[in-house]
Amino acid sequence: MRIKQLLALLFAFALVAAACGGDDTSADDSDGGDTESSEGSDSEDGGDGDEGGSSSSGPAVDIDAVLAVDLENCEAPPTGDPIRVGMAMDFSDVVGFVDIPGSQLVPHFADLINCAGGVNGSPVEVRVQEVGDDAALAASELLDWGAHFLIGPPFADFALPILQTTEGNVPLFIAASTEPSLSDAENNSYLVSFDDAGQASAAADYAISQGITRAFVFTEGAGVPYTGVNPDEFIAAFEAGGGEIIAELSYVWAADTDFSAQVEELSGLLEGNEAFFSAALGFQVTALKGQLEAAGFDGITYMGTDALDATGIQVEDNADGVIHTPHIFIEPGDRNDLLLTSYTDTNGEELGSRGFMGLYVDSMLLGLQGIQDCGCTDSEAIGEAVRAIEGFDGFSGEITYAGTNGTPPKAVPIVQVEGGADVLLSK
Amino acid sequence: MTSLLQNLIDGLGQGSIYALLALGVAVIFGVMHLLNFAHGELITVSGYAAVAAFGSNLSWWLVAPLIIVVSIVTSLVIERVAFSRVRGASEFTQLLTSFGIHIIVSAVLIMSVGASVKTFAEPPWIFDRIDVGPLSLEKFDLLVIAVTAVTLAATTWLLQRTTFGLSLRAAAADFDTARLMGVDSDRVIRGAFALSGALAGVAGIFWLMRAGNTDPSAGIDPMLKGVLAALIGGLGSLRGAVLGGLALGVAEVLLRSQLPSSVAVLTDAVVFGLIAFLFIFRPQGLITVQHAERV
């Protein structure tokens, strides 16, 4: 009897574990939970530059001036009422690889802003709250603290509860997501990046432009967030461009590395000159590439999404030639490079991620821009101002929310891995 | 027909790794009546050891035995730190303890080395194939099948022909009586965890070779496969664990290959459906064990 009970219990847990994937762990809240950054100095010139934003009232933060400050020699501390930025972040192994470094970098940049005099004399305070198993609670605590706007985690299962908590009254910026359902300007929810349609159609257009007329995709099913939507969008754009999809094959995202069954099926279909597209992670794409090459197909063009940048495709073995769509193409000496270098110089260690980091800082800057534009700290009015932002010049490119549903129409970099680094192909 | 045969061999390769994982689960269940949901953590920790070893420019020839050693040590540490504290507790408490170990290990890894995926180079021959008539076989699959067969034989010999094996089987049959007969319970349990760790280590070598990466939740998938395979085969049966693993691997590959593309995404759902169907008619799994707790 006890064995039967145990079996029943086992299945319950197994189903829960299977349903939850890898999101059943989280970093210690007490360790990474709260980080505040409010030191700084007083100056009224925070918005004098001609970069960092473009809107009705000028940029709230002069990005290049802020990047140039020396934290050892700050202006007098800003004395205005603090601007409070709440970060509800997912530190679990699902997206912790970007949310953890993002939540380290944003307070650092707030320190730089404050060192340069704050935003119109007001210091910027950042509080990081780990969402744990209750994103709504994390959001509530940040709102109770007085956050003027929030930066949320990438996936809808955590970000949507935050949106329900804000009830659309407080701007919510999703830094590292391409999930279309989180783009909802009417409810004050904004993507900072391009969305899945943007990156997948850019990849399809690039393939067509290179004369590729046949393609196959890996998918977890039509309409499945990210892993299915990206292939859906690629197929639509590729076929619209005159291409032919020869196969749609299933796989398990973030898990499968043995693609014997798929290779067997493809071997009767491939001519060897096709494009492959999926939302698979780096190690999955290189595994498939190796298995197809071993089967004699070495002329395939492998294409993927921002997931490849997130999981470090550049350092994978056998990754040369893989094409992907990162959010930011970083070049030595550019703003993003200076931003990351500034963090490293101050903290003595590099962040765990590079390509996504500008998106997190842009999230904060967009909220600050909304405050600057409305000349207020009322969250609903800030939201109104955010919805009207046009031509904001941030770390991740130009961002416009005016006339959109919360997804900025951004350029999508197309890059190719060559010798352990990305080479820009088009933008 | 050729395609089916090809799929069958691919499935046996995949299933052999599951079988090794299931063997480790079965050994612990036999002695402690514990379904060890922390079994996957042995592969997670071993994976990070592999990352460190590759960072020191060690080759796979050296990393492979290191993975086994780390897996055994991790298994013993987990037993000492966690399971020994709840040895007399209910199965439910032990089950929750195993979940707790998984959560703690993941959290510690996220805090100490980060949540990002850590990659390392697969062996250069990992994708090499051998043509046998119309079949194109992966060297990797053939190696896994061979090593699994040898490991199973060695495990059987250990349990049937050594004093330790006799103690282990006696404890599995009736733990209290075995203690009264002079069997050192601590030694038996430590031995079971060491054996389970060794089996997970062998499985981990192939899992990590194929994956070429690890992350804090890398152990979840192998843990689920191992537990499922052990259940399919019949808890407490070593032969059943192997059979369950092979059946699971073959079913996965066959379904993914043979199902129409439009429904192939349902492969895992169909596999779970088949398992549920199996348990309706054979709730004890494929192999009937006289005493479920027997090793």
Side-chain angles (χ1 to χ4, degrees):
Chain A
M1 184 61 192
R2 299 174 87 185
I3 294 298
K4 286 181 179 175
Q5 288 173 332
L6 198 59
L7 281 175
L9 195 63
L10 162 72
F11 266 102
F13 276 117
L15 288 173
V16 169
C20 293
D23 64 355
D24 56 347
T25 58
S26 61
D28 186 347
D29 189 31
S30 64
D31 184 58
D34 291 343
T35 306
E36 289 192 30
S37 170
S38 59
E39 294 77 24
S41 59
D42 190 17
S43 171
E44 295 298 323
D45 64 355
D48 285 346
D50 59 356
E51 296 173 89
S54 170
S55 62
S56 58
S57 60
V61 175
D62 182 341
I63 292 177
D64 296 323
V66 167
L67 283 173
V69 302
D70 177 4
L71 285 171
E72 301 295 321
N73 295 293
C74 293
E75 303 287 331
T79 54
D81 292 335
I83 298 171
R84 290 183 163 159
V85 183
M87 298 185 76
M89 296 281 100
D90 178 5
F91 286 179
S92 77
D93 44 7
V94 180
V95 293
F97 58 87
V98 285
D99 267 9
I100 291 173
S103 63
Q104 293 167 329
L105 182 59
V106 170
H108 169 71
F109 197 73
D111 284 342
L112 295 178
I113 292 172
N114 293 333
C115 185
V119 178
N120 293 328
S122 290
V124 178
E125 294 182 358
V126 180
R127 174 171 286 189
V128 179
Q129 195 74 40
E130 213 270 308
V131 297
D133 293 327
D134 194 342
L137 177 63
S140 293
E141 290 176 353
L142 290 170
L143 295 178
D144 290 345
W145 169 63
H148 293 105
F149 60 90
L150 301 179
I151 302 171
F155 285 157
D157 49 355
F158 284 127
L160 288 177
I162 294 174
L163 194 54
Q164 288 166 352
T165 303
T166 65
E167 297 180 319
N169 295 322
V170 178
L172 171 65
F173 298 94
I174 310 294
S177 180
T178 56
E179 170 56 48
S181 68
L182 298 176
S183 169
D184 186 357
E186 284 302 306
N187 279 309
N188 248 337
S189 179
Y190 310 91
L191 299 188
V192 180
S193 65
F194 46 71
D195 64 4
D196 290 335
Q199 63 176 339
S201 59
D205 292 345
Y206 181 78
I208 292 287
S209 75
Q210 298 303 301
I212 298 172
T213 57
R214 289 160 52 88
F216 61 101
V217 301
F218 274 12
T219 178
E220 285 202 310
V224 174
Y226 197 71
T227 60
V229 169
N230 269 294
D232 293 346
E233 297 287 350
F234 179 89
I235 290 168
F238 194 71
E239 289 181 337
E244 176 195 4
I245 299 297
I246 61 167
E248 296 177 48
L249 303 173
S250 72
Y251 76 123
V252 181
W253 186 74
D256 281 355
T257 50
D258 183 353
F259 299 111
S260 302
Q262 291 90 336
V263 170
E264 173 69 13
E265 186 169 345
L266 285 167
S267 61
L269 300 170
L270 292 179
E271 293 176 353
N273 55 2
E274 290 83 358
F276 163 75
F277 179 83
S278 75
L281 303 185
F283 61 87
Q284 296 186 289
V285 174
T286 53
L288 174 69
K289 184 169 178 274
Q291 288 164 55
L292 279 172
E293 286 171 348
F297 300 104
D298 51 12
I300 309 290
T301 301
Y302 295 85
M303 310 185 81
T305 62
D306 59 331
L308 297 185
D309 191 37
T311 52
I313 182 74
Q314 299 87 350
V315 296
E316 289 272 346
D317 261 17
N318 197 32
D320 271 4
V322 174
I323 292 170
H324 62 112
T325 52
H327 293 284
I328 299 169
F329 178 69
I330 302 175
E331 294 180 281
D334 69 10
R335 275 183 178 174
N336 286 280
D337 190 43
L338 292 175
L339 173 68
L340 296 167
T341 302
S342 165
Y343 180 88
T344 303
D345 290 347
T346 303
N347 296 278
E349 60 179 9
E350 290 190 0
L351 286 163
S353 173
R354 287 177 61 83
F356 282 70
M357 292 299 94
L359 296 169
Y360 284 83
V361 178
D362 276 354
S363 301
M364 175 171 69
L365 292 174
L366 286 161
L368 298 176
Q369 188 63 49
I371 291 173
Q372 163 97 353
D373 289 351
C374 74
C376 64
T377 53
D378 172 65
S379 291
E380 288 191 53
I382 297 170
E384 288 289 330
V386 169
R387 277 192 285 276
I389 286 178
E390 283 187 78
F392 173 87
D393 182 20
F395 284 96
S396 61
E398 191 173 286
I399 295 172
T400 291
Y401 288 129
T404 74
N405 190 36
T407 300
K410 297 174 76 171
V412 180
I414 304 282
V415 304
Q416 185 167 36
V417 181
E418 293 289 351
D422 286 336
V423 175
L424 186 65
L425 296 178
S426 77
K427 188 169 183 178
Chain B
M1 186 60 192
T2 302
S3 174
L4 270 179
L5 199 55
Q6 181 85 50
N7 289 156
L8 185 66
I9 294 170
D10 290 338
L12 288 175
Q14 183 87 351
S16 292
I17 302 177
Y18 298 164
L20 289 168
L21 292 163
L23 275 172
V25 172
V27 167
I28 296 298
F29 183 83
V31 175
M32 293 186 67
H33 301 188
L34 164 68
L35 270 167
N36 185 10
F37 278 84
H39 195 62
E41 300 320 302
L42 307 182
I43 290 180
T44 307
V45 175
S46 300
Y48 279 99
V51 170
F54 285 118
S56 302
N57 294 319
L58 296 186
S59 72
W60 267 106
W61 293 108
L62 294 173
V63 172
L66 174 70
I67 287 172
I68 296 177
V69 171
V70 170
S71 183
I72 293 171
V73 171
T74 305
S75 185
L76 289 170
V77 168
I78 286 174
E79 190 281 327
R80 183 67 182 164
V81 172
F83 288 124
S84 68
R85 316 285 175 182
V86 294
R87 195 174 292 169
S90 68
E91 285 96 340
F92 185 67
T93 301
Q94 296 190 40
L95 193 67
L96 287 182
T97 301
S98 71
F99 272 105
I101 291 165
H102 159 70
I103 291 168
I104 289 169
V105 169
S106 289
V108 167
L109 287 171
I110 288 173
M111 287 189 295
S112 56
V113 294
S116 60
V117 176
K118 306 290 184 192
T119 61
F120 43 81
E122 296 104 338
W125 48 266
I126 191 83
F127 302 123
D128 289 356
R129 303 176 85 90
I130 300 172
D131 290 333
V132 181
L135 300 177
S136 177
L137 308 178
E138 281 190 298
K139 284 183 182 175
F140 178 82
D141 284 337
L142 298 177
L143 179 66
V144 175
I145 292 168
V147 169
T148 300
V150 171
T151 305
L152 179 62
T155 305
T156 303
W157 175 84
L158 182 74
L159 294 176
Q160 299 291 340
R161 304 290 182 194
T162 66
T163 308
F164 166 70
L166 184 64
S167 302
L168 203 66
R169 287 185 292 124
D174 189 329
F175 198 88
D176 292 332
T177 303
R179 289 179 68 185
L180 289 172
M181 298 297 286
V183 171
D184 183 339
S185 60
D186 283 340
R187 183 170 165 272
V188 167
I189 289 174
R190 279 199 303 273
F193 271 91
L195 177 58
S196 177
L199 292 166
V202 177
I205 291 170
F206 296 117
W207 190 280
L208 294 166
M209 273 184 178
R210 184 65 105 175
N213 72 85
T214 192
D215 64 64
S217 62
I220 290 178
D221 208 29
M223 177 272 289
L224 282 176
K225 302 293 187 187
V227 170
L228 269 178
L231 283 167
I232 293 168
L235 271 175
S237 166
L238 293 186
R239 281 187 303 130
V242 174
L243 197 57
L246 295 178
L248 185 60
V250 169
E252 281 185 356
V253 172
L254 276 178
L255 287 169
R256 201 172 295 286
S257 175
Q258 301 300 324
L259 283 176
S261 295
S262 57
V263 294
V265 293
L266 297 175
T267 296
D268 283 347
V270 174
V271 168
F272 273 88
L274 289 174
I275 293 169
F277 194 68
L278 168 72
F279 285 141
I280 291 173
F281 296 100
R282 289 190 66 83
Q284 72 275 35
L286 293 174
I287 302 286
T288 303
V289 182
Q290 291 299 323
H291 302 284
E293 60 271 30
R294 179 186 295 174
V295 173

